[in-house]
Structures are given as structure tokens and as C-alpha cells.
Amino acid sequence: MSVANNRPLSVFTGIIGEASNIRIGSNPPFSLGDFLTVYPQFGPDANGQTVVPQQIVQMYINLADACVMEARWHAYWQTAMGWFIAHFCTLFLLGAADPNGGAAAALAAGQAKGLNTSESVGDVSVSMDYGEIGKDLDGWAAWKLTIYGQQLATIAKMLGRAGMYIY
């Protein structure tokens, strides 16, 4: 097996490999059932209706499998997989619109969200602050928009998931 620039895998198993912070390997299986065991709110209700279509959840499971490596997260891998998938399912729900709602509904659903900093009831007035969302997670972009993404980013920082060095 080889990696970028046709270097043998053995180059990455020594000191350079450890210093590079590159982790390679494959993940064990992680199924829709595994996810729904921890996050049943994204699965079917008592009537069998799902909040997020199962094919969408599976799409995010596949994405998580490509992005969240067990070799990096070790014992936290299943937890990180769950946060990753729940984060994207929540973003999916934030952007969901009634297909019969027209362009205005689709645009409103896809609009970036901020924190409400003030509200009024008479004649409806809402102020949003986009700058305060997770200042301590600067650089984590959309991960700050859900509690699941915030948890993923926080633990990733705690576990020292720093940059990589390619030799």
C-alpha cells in the first residue's frame, strides 16, 4: 500500500509518521441502527414517520465514515460519529422547507441563522447576532451552529486534533 507521492506506508510508521499527525486506517461498521440507538429523535415516531428521511441519515453516516477516523478518535469514535451525524441532520432540518411553499419558503429555510439578541412582540422585531456564535470555536465554521457540532469541535480541540504535516 502507498500514500501520496507514492511513498511507502512504512515512511509514516516511524517518527515522521507520528509527528505528521496523519492517521490512516478503516472504520468498523456504523449503522443507522447504531445512530438511532443514541439519537432516537432522528428516527421514526410512534406512527413510523421519520423526522429526517432515512436515506438522508444514511448519507450523513457515509459522510461521517469518510471524515471521522477511528484511528484518530479511538474510544471516542462512536461518540464523534454520532455528533457528526446528528449535527448534519439538525442542519438538514434547519434548511428544510415545505415543497409547496415556493421560493420564499426555500430561501427562508436556507438563510443563515444567528443568535436572537433582542425580540419584540408588537409589530414583530428580531435582532440577530452572528458574531457571538461560539467565539471560542473560531475557525470551526458551521460546527458552531448546533449543539452536536459544538460538542464535536470542543472534544476535538481537547483531544489535540491539530493540523497535519506532510513530509
Side-chain angles (χ1 to χ4, degrees):
M1 180 179 199
S2 65
V3 292
N5 297 327
N6 293 321
R7 295 188 187 278
L9 188 57
S10 61
V11 169
F12 292 98
T13 60
I15 294 172
I16 292 173
E18 287 301 313
S20 72
N21 198 22
I22 294 173
R23 301 294 180 257
I24 56 174
S26 59
N27 291 335
F30 190 91
S31 69
L32 178 63
D34 295 331
F35 175 69
L36 294 178
T37 297
V38 180
Y39 296 102
Q41 65 267 35
F42 294 107
D45 62 15
N47 298 321
Q49 299 297 316
T50 57
V51 176
V52 177
Q54 289 188 352
Q55 59 269 39
I56 299 294
V57 179
Q58 186 60 54
M59 177 182 72
Y60 293 136
I61 290 170
N62 296 345
L63 181 60
D65 188 56
C67 296
V68 181
M69 304 309 308
E70 184 191 36
R72 177 170 299 282
W73 286 85
H74 303 289
Y76 291 97
W77 177 74
Q78 287 186 323
T79 303
M81 289 286 286
W83 286 332
F84 187 101
I85 298 159
H87 168 75
F88 279 101
C89 286
T90 302
L91 291 181
F92 172 83
L93 291 171
L94 285 171
D98 181 351
N100 299 314
L107 286 171
Q111 191 174 31
K113 310 287 191 273
L115 298 175
N116 286 351
T117 57
S118 68
E119 293 182 14
S120 298
V121 176
D123 290 344
V124 185
S125 174
V126 174
S127 296
M128 301 282 223
D129 182 357
Y130 296 91
E132 292 299 316
I133 301 173
K135 274 190 173 180
D136 60 330
L137 295 174
D138 283 344
W140 286 85
W143 296 106
K144 299 181 284 188
L145 297 178
T146 71
I147 190 65
Y148 310 110
Q150 290 172 12
Q151 291 172 324
L152 182 75
T154 299
I155 299 303
K157 285 177 68 174
M158 285 176 51
L159 294 176
R161 305 301 179 230
M164 297 179 186
Y165 174 75
I166 309 296
Y167 177 75

